[in-house]
Amino acid sequence: MKTLSALVGRHIKMFFKDKGTFFTSLIAPLILLVLFVLFLGNVYRDSFYSSVPADIVVPDKVIEGFVGGWLLSSLLAVSCVTVAFCANMQIVQDKVTGAIGDFSVTPYKKSYLALSYYLATAAVTAAICYVALGAGFIYLACVGWYISAGDALFIVLDVFLLSLFGTALSSVICFFIKTQGGSTAVSVVVSSVYGFISGAYMPISQFANGIQIFVSLLPGTYGTGLFRNHFMGGVLAEIGNYFPPEVVDGIRTSFDCNMFFFGHKVEVGTMFLILGVTVAVLIGVYVLLHLLKKRAKKIGRAVQQECRD
């Protein structure tokens, strides 16, 4: 365990030592929060008003709490994955510099190295996302706070679970990347695409039917659904004081608090299960890739030895 702890500490230290990557990873979620508030806030306010009868007046604080909950759920659903890809670039950097080759000649279990990268990336990702969450909570406290203590604890759990998911996904993908250019390209693609395919930037209910079905097959979508329910559950309960239940349920569906899989509603507990199983499967794939790589190296050395003999 001392060896594993030392490796994890080394990876975390190397990440924070790279000031460019660290500040980019830290500031990016905060910049997204500002951009969401300044440029997308009015879009979501208009979407809210279009979903309710015109003759019903809702206090501005409730509307701001609703919009703020949507914005923060989108922000964290994306950041838990994109930050993980930035943090996991340490393994690519070690491949480029040859540090992994140096590790391979040291007398410790090689499985510790793979596990250490995963744990270090998960720790860095969660830490940065919790900073973003703290900023988001401050924002909601200023504009309209309707989150219960229970939902706040679930949000903390959501960040942790999505950080594990983002780390596992990035670990599998980064396993195949060997150059700095490749890592940059992957980060750009993930940052550009993930928010759309996870339903973070645009409500899934507004997609075409075929895209809705495709998105419902992606586990990251249910991470967004968890954030939606826990950030917006309290404010939707407050909105229930102004609208009949069927209208509130329509709002929940329009803004992805109600999520469906081939017409069947997916409950919050099922969303947790989907993400938990996905994390376990991705970690299993990550471990298997390293085992296969180790086996391939052994076979290669054996073949070389036979050729020399």
Side-chain angles (χ1 to χ4, degrees), residues 193-217:
V193 175
Y194 182 79
F196 290 99
I197 63 175
S198 66
Y201 293 156
M202 181 179 178
I204 297 172
S205 59
Q206 297 184 17
F207 292 161
N209 289 334
I211 298 178
Q212 289 187 36
I213 293 174
F214 170 74
V215 169
S216 69
L217 298 174

Side-chain angles (χ1 to χ4, degrees), residues 91-108:
I91 187 173
V92 180
Q93 185 66 26
D94 285 347
K95 291 177 184 178
V96 173
T97 60
I100 285 186
D102 296 336
F103 287 133
S104 65
V105 299
T106 56
Y108 63 81

Side-chain angles (χ1 to χ4, degrees), residues 44-117:
Y44 295 134
R45 290 185 190 91
D46 293 340
S47 298
F48 176 83
Y49 283 122
S50 66
S51 302
V52 301
D55 57 339
I56 299 179
V57 178
V58 181
D60 290 341
K61 184 178 179 180
V62 176
I63 297 174
E64 292 300 326
F66 178 87
V67 173
W70 167 271
L71 294 177
L72 289 176
S73 61
S74 299
L75 168 67
L76 288 170
V78 173
S79 296
C80 287
V81 175
T82 56
V83 171
F85 273 86
C86 290
N88 221 347
M89 290 306 143
Q90 182 59 50
I91 187 173
V92 180
Q93 185 66 26
D94 285 347
K95 291 177 184 178
V96 173
T97 60
I100 285 186
D102 296 336
F103 287 133
S104 65
V105 299
T106 56
Y108 63 81
K109 293 182 179 180
K110 301 304 181 288
S111 58
Y112 281 7
L113 183 60
L115 180 59
S116 67
Y117 281 117

